[in-house]
């Protein structure tokens, strides 16, 4: 959103006035999201009630949110909502904002878990619970377990699961596989921290508002991925899959980590809709053990 794009809301405004002041592009999309939040309405209401005057309280609330957005605060944190895989999730600054590219991880898990399967699925680093909840909803006969090390994230994921009426999901607090000792799964999904400590992107855009422990893995950026890959074989059933999200330049390193950990079947990296290498994984030999 351009600096000052939402400034100057001092006179009484209609919905249309508020939107027209912003110009075009992303600013209008973001303003619509903020107005929907302030008015508690949907887009169709904004369109059909464009001549409605904002009350002074609504205008003040909108101005306050707009000012915070100009300072870089993500719209998802301002409204407390974000859509992912066709579902709406509550989000707070305690968790990462669900992103469209992570939907690729969900797709790859669903492709490997048949629709009526009673498979056991593990989601590591669940955050808001978006990956685990999407999988649990679309595979209602599967048993899904989600893990996160942060108490705030676990509480939020449980809230989102309850909101969507998911009953085949157990959300636990723990450090990766320590939360599920001795358990084995048919599919393991993970969206771990994968940003290097000194990455300049951490200081810019919206990343500076997101929880650092959920972003930063260490000096290399692949420390959490390496830990998950190294331990995954002990938690997979024969023929089970490990799939994890990573950075745009970490595909080669991820495949090397999989090979070093003894994965030799279906080692691959998949691209997201933007053509970026986004998810890597492999299948445990069906005849192992």
């Amino acid at each position: 959103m351009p600096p000052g794009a939402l400034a100057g809301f001092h006179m009484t405004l209609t919905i249309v006035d508020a939107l027209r002041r912003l110009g075009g592009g992303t600013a209008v999309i973001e303003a619509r999201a903020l107005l929907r939040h302030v008015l508690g309405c949907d887009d169709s209401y904004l369109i059909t009630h464009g001549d409605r005057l904002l009350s002074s309280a609504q205008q003040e609330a909108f101005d306050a949110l707009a000012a915070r957005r100009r300072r870089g605060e993500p719209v998802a944190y301002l409204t407390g909502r974000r859509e992912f895989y066709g579902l709406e999730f509550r989000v707070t600054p305690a968790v990462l904002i669900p992103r469209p590219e992570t939907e690729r991880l969900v797709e790859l898990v669903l492709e490997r878990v048949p629709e009526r399967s009673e498979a056991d699925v593990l989601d590591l680093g669940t955050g808001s619970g978006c990956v685990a909840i999407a999988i649990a909803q679309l595979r209602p006969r599967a048993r899904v377990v989600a893990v996160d090390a942060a108490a705030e994230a676990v509480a939020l994921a449980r809230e989102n699961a309850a909101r969507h009426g998911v009953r085949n999901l157990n959300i636990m607090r723990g450090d990766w596989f320590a939360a599920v000792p001795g358990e084995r799964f048919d599919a393991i999904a993970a969206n771990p921290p994968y940003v290097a400590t000194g990455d300049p992107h951490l200081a810019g855009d919206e990343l500076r508002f997101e929880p650092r422990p959920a972003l930063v893995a260490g000096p290399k950026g692949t420390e959490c991925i390496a830990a998950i890959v190294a331990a995954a074989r002990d938690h997979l059933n024969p023929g089970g899959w490990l799939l994890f999200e990573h950075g745009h330049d970490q595909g080669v390193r991820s495949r090397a980590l999989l090979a070093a950990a003894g994965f030799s079947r279906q080692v691959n990296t998949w691209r997201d809709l933007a053509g970026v290498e986004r998810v890597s994984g492999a299948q445990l030999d069906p005849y192992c053990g």
Side-chain angles (χ1 to χ4, degrees):
M1 180 178 296
L6 296 178
F9 286 83
H10 301 302
M11 66 183 74
T12 303
L13 299 176
T14 66
I15 288 173
V16 169
D17 291 332
L19 294 175
R20 281 177 177 169
R21 287 199 171 205
L22 303 174
T26 304
V28 171
I29 296 172
E30 294 182 346
R32 284 184 177 278
L34 298 182
L35 277 173
R36 289 196 304 268
H37 178 66
V38 169
L39 299 179
C41 69
D42 56 18
D43 265 331
S44 64
Y45 184 90
L46 297 182
I47 294 168
T48 57
H49 295 76
D51 58 350
R52 173 187 159 178
L53 290 173
L54 301 181
S55 70
S56 58
Q58 289 167 343
Q59 188 167 322
E60 287 176 8
F62 182 72
D63 285 347
L65 290 174
R68 290 169 62 186
R69 180 67 191 114
R70 288 196 300 274
R71 292 193 291 270
E73 218 169 319
V75 171
Y77 288 158
L78 296 175
T79 63
R81 300 184 183 92
R82 185 61 172 254
E83 183 179 319
F84 179 86
Y85 221 82
L87 303 170
E88 186 177 85
F89 291 88
R90 195 170 91 80
V91 295
T92 73
V95 299
L96 294 182
I97 297 168
R99 289 172 166 80
E101 53 264 33
T102 303
E103 294 184 356
R104 187 68 175 117
L105 178 63
V106 174
E107 291 170 356
L108 289 165
V109 173
L110 294 176
E111 288 171 6
R112 287 153 180 79
V113 177
E115 189 171 347
R116 298 182 64 81
S117 170
E118 297 181 357
D120 293 318
V121 181
L122 175 64
D123 174 35
L124 296 174
T126 198
S128 64
C130 60
V131 169
I133 291 168
I135 292 169
Q137 272 223 335
L138 292 167
R139 297 294 183 266
R141 299 183 68 174
R143 180 184 75 95
V144 184
V145 178
V147 172
D148 202 286
E152 298 92 337
V154 169
L156 184 62
R158 287 173 176 166
E159 179 184 331
N160 280 322
R163 176 181 181 179
H164 289 292
V166 174
R167 297 182 179 179
N168 57 325
L169 171 61
N170 183 22
I171 302 168
M172 307 170 65
R173 184 182 181 190
D175 186 11
W176 306 132
F177 295 107
V180 288
E183 293 193 52
R184 289 182 178 267
F185 300 86
D186 300 297
I188 297 172
N191 185 12
Y194 53 75
V195 180
T197 306
D199 193 313
H201 292 95
L202 291 168
D205 299 327
E206 300 182 350
L207 288 186
R208 60 195 172 97
F209 290 91
E210 296 191 75
R212 215 40 91 86
L215 288 168
V216 178
K220 296 180 181 178
T222 53
E223 286 84 350
C224 293
I225 290 173
I228 290 170
V229 170
R233 286 175 58 90
D234 292 335
H235 294 275
L236 280 171
N237 288 322
W241 281 86
L242 169 65
L243 298 157
F244 55 90
E245 182 174 326
H246 54 69
H248 68 95
D249 58 352
Q250 294 174 341
V252 172
R253 175 62 177 157
S254 294
R255 293 191 297 274
L257 289 169
L258 286 163
F263 286 94
S264 59
R265 185 181 177 88
Q266 303 277 0
V267 178
N268 204 352
T269 298
W270 294 266
R271 297 179 183 270
D272 60 23
L273 289 177
V276 176
E277 290 193 338
R278 182 59 58 192
V279 177
S280 288
Q283 184 185 29
L284 190 63
D285 192 323
Y287 306 105
C288 75

